[in-house]
Amino acid sequence: MKTPIAVTIAGSDSGGGAGIQADLKTFSALGVYGASVITALTAQNTLGVSGIHDVPPDFVAAQIDAVFSDLDVDAVKIGMLSRPEVIETVALGLDRHRLTTVVLDPVMVAASGDRLLVPEAVESLRRLLLPRALLITPNLPEAAALLDAAPATSVTEARAQAERLLAYGPKAVLVKGGHGEGPESVDVLLDAEGFVELRAPRVATRNTHGTGCTLSSAIAAGLAKGLALRDAVEAAKQYLTRAIGRADDLSIGRGHGPVHHFHAIWD
């Protein structure tokens, strides 16, 4: 029986709560073999980001070719790509290896508020990667930044922004509502069949570092295991909700701690 394999193309979080580290933890927790292409190194902890070291584009390409020439990859998650030249390298790599099951999380700002993407890279994301994605997973501020608009303040506005983002070429859009208000976190999924709203109770915790990375990698894990897109999104939402709900079981750092990726295993 084939082992499901997912690859994360993203930045490293030295604190272990987000980025490559969160992606690989999520893959493992959900029964998927994880491999990685590191696009940037961050000096980071639960309090913030103190430095970013970009990986040269040619070495990003070398990692892509090494991984995809050997592993039979079922799904790809793309996270932090801080510069236009790295975005172009990744886009060319997707084409070179004919990768289409791609979940793109347009990471722009860390939970601490630190910017992870240079402003000139936003247009490269729109032009080169959105059309190559099966699904993009922006949160409310990221969706707004991609559209040069104000963040949505209602589900109706989030649906409208999802429609505008779909016009850039991805097959589906998931606008995440974690930054919204109210007792529920409402994510809006738009695909070829129309809209779906995914609701979950909002959890009162400050330990939400890596939520976006975790959700997108959980979706990629579901796709790698053969789930249909909507099923993969719904399963990932449930996994993340439980991981946030158990985040306070951990005592990690003095700032925004991580979600509990292994909540179902460490018991």
Side-chain angles (χ1 to χ4, degrees):
M1 186 173 65
K2 183 185 182 302
T3 301
I5 300 173
V7 173
T8 168
I9 303 176
S12 167
D13 172 4
S14 56
I20 288 280
Q21 287 81 352
D23 297 338
L24 293 177
K25 289 173 184 178
T26 301
F27 294 158
S28 295
L30 296 175
V32 172
Y33 181 86
S36 63
V37 172
I38 298 177
T39 60
L41 308 176
T42 66
Q44 183 176 177
N45 56 27
T46 64
L47 297 171
V49 180
S50 58
I52 298 175
H53 179 73
D54 292 298
V55 175
D58 59 346
F59 195 73
V60 173
Q63 293 176 78
I64 289 172
D65 291 341
V67 171
F68 292 104
S69 65
D70 181 37
L71 276 59
D72 186 7
V73 176
D74 299 290
V76 179
K77 174 263 171 79
I78 299 176
M80 177 187 173
L81 306 174
S82 63
R83 297 191 172 276
E85 53 269 29
V86 172
I87 292 171
E88 180 178 3
T89 296
V90 171
L92 291 172
L94 295 178
D95 291 349
R96 192 161 58 250
H97 295 282
R98 301 177 182 177
L99 303 167
T100 57
T101 306
V102 176
V103 178
L104 171 63
D105 185 27
V107 177
M108 297 181 181
V109 179
S112 59
D114 295 288
R115 176 169 284 277
L116 300 174
L117 182 78
V118 297
E120 57 267 28
V122 176
E123 176 55 31
S124 296
L125 265 181
R126 292 191 196 104
R127 180 171 53 87
L128 296 175
L129 286 183
L130 266 62
R132 290 172 166 83
L134 171 64
L135 173 71
I136 64 171
T137 63
N139 59 30
L140 295 175
E142 290 161 350
L146 286 169
L147 295 169
D148 292 323
T153 58
S154 68
V155 172
T156 300
E157 290 180 4
R159 287 168 67 118
Q161 291 196 353
E163 287 184 313
R164 290 179 61 192
L165 287 168
L166 196 70
Y168 282 104
K171 299 292 188 298
V173 177
L174 179 69
V175 177
K176 300 173 297 190
H179 286 73
E181 302 291 336
E184 289 185 309
S185 173
V186 184
D187 299 345
V188 173
L189 173 65
L190 174 60
D191 62 10
E193 299 177 44
F195 282 103
V196 175
E197 293 178 12
L198 298 98
R199 297 175 176 268
R202 196 176 298 279
V203 179
T205 178
R206 71 172 184 170
N207 294 324
T208 56
H209 184 48
T211 49
C213 303
T214 298
L215 181 66
S216 56
S217 54
I219 295 169
L223 295 170
K225 292 191 289 186
L227 294 181
L229 178 61
R230 286 194 174 189
D231 293 336
V233 172
E234 290 174 0
K237 175 79 169 180
Q238 293 170 9
Y239 167 75
L240 177 61
T241 300
R242 292 192 292 266
I244 296 173
R246 295 286 301 279
D248 289 354
D249 290 359
L250 302 174
S251 179
I252 309 295
R254 293 178 288 117
H256 292 282
V259 302
H260 196 336
H261 296 95
F262 296 114
H263 59 271
I265 300 171
W266 287 14
D267 286 344

